[in-house]
Amino acid sequence: MPKIFDLSKLAAFSQKKGTLRLAEDLAVVKKNLLCARNFGVGLICLKQVGNSPHLEPYSACFYFVSGKGMFTVGKEQFELSSGKMALTPAEEIRGIKSLERLVLLGIHDPHV
């Protein structure tokens, strides 16, 4: 049986501004929607915040549903907005900062 997600009802934004560092802060803005054997899907919602660029051990694809943000991959930065998608390899530094209310989906390799 298929599972239907209403992203507009699941979206939650942190009230903090600046950089999110604590696991509790990140838990507000990132919701794991699906953890399958070969991939996972997360909903990420950012408003006036971001995360510091950091190394991630898994590859991921980020689809920008709405809004605009700065996306860091390695040493490069890109401004991405609604309808854009970014692919990031495993073992690469990446980070996201919202420039306006930002909603994106992350489809990623399974990880702990």
Side-chain angles (χ1 to χ4, degrees), residues 57-109:
Y58 55 90
S59 59
C61 169
F62 294 95
Y63 175 71
F64 286 68
V65 176
S66 63
K68 186 179 357 177
M70 289 302 296
F71 194 72
T72 301
V73 180
K75 294 181 181 180
E76 297 184 69
Q77 283 196 326
F78 308 90
E79 185 175 303
L80 298 175
S81 57
S82 304
K84 304 286 188 211
M85 189 166 67
L87 302 173
T88 60
E91 303 300 332
E92 186 68 77
I93 291 174
R94 60 178 171 244
I96 304 167
K97 181 180 182 208
S98 63
L99 297 176
E100 60 186 47
R101 195 174 164 111
L102 179 63
V103 176
L104 53 124
L105 285 174
I107 301 127
H108 52 78
D109 290 336

Side-chain angles (χ1 to χ4, degrees), residues 6-107:
D6 184 340
L7 300 183
S8 63
K9 289 184 180 176
L10 293 172
F13 296 85
S14 173
Q15 298 307 307
K16 293 189 175 188
K17 294 181 181 180
T19 302
L20 299 177
R21 290 189 172 90
L22 302 175
E24 306 87 62
D25 294 337
L26 294 171
V28 171
V29 301
K30 181 181 179 196
K31 293 198 176 13
N32 291 318
L33 303 179
L34 175 68
C35 292
R37 182 171 24 140
N38 296 317
F39 68 96
V41 178
L43 175 66
I44 303 161
C45 304
L46 302 171
K47 182 177 87 173
Q48 298 181 334
V49 296
N51 64 358
S52 298
H54 56 286
L55 184 68
E56 289 287 11
Y58 55 90
S59 59
C61 169
F62 294 95
Y63 175 71
F64 286 68
V65 176
S66 63
K68 186 179 357 177
M70 289 302 296
F71 194 72
T72 301
V73 180
K75 294 181 181 180
E76 297 184 69
Q77 283 196 326
F78 308 90
E79 185 175 303
L80 298 175
S81 57
S82 304
K84 304 286 188 211
M85 189 166 67
L87 302 173
T88 60
E91 303 300 332
E92 186 68 77
I93 291 174
R94 60 178 171 244
I96 304 167
K97 181 180 182 208
S98 63
L99 297 176
E100 60 186 47
R101 195 174 164 111
L102 179 63
V103 176
L104 53 124
L105 285 174
I107 301 127

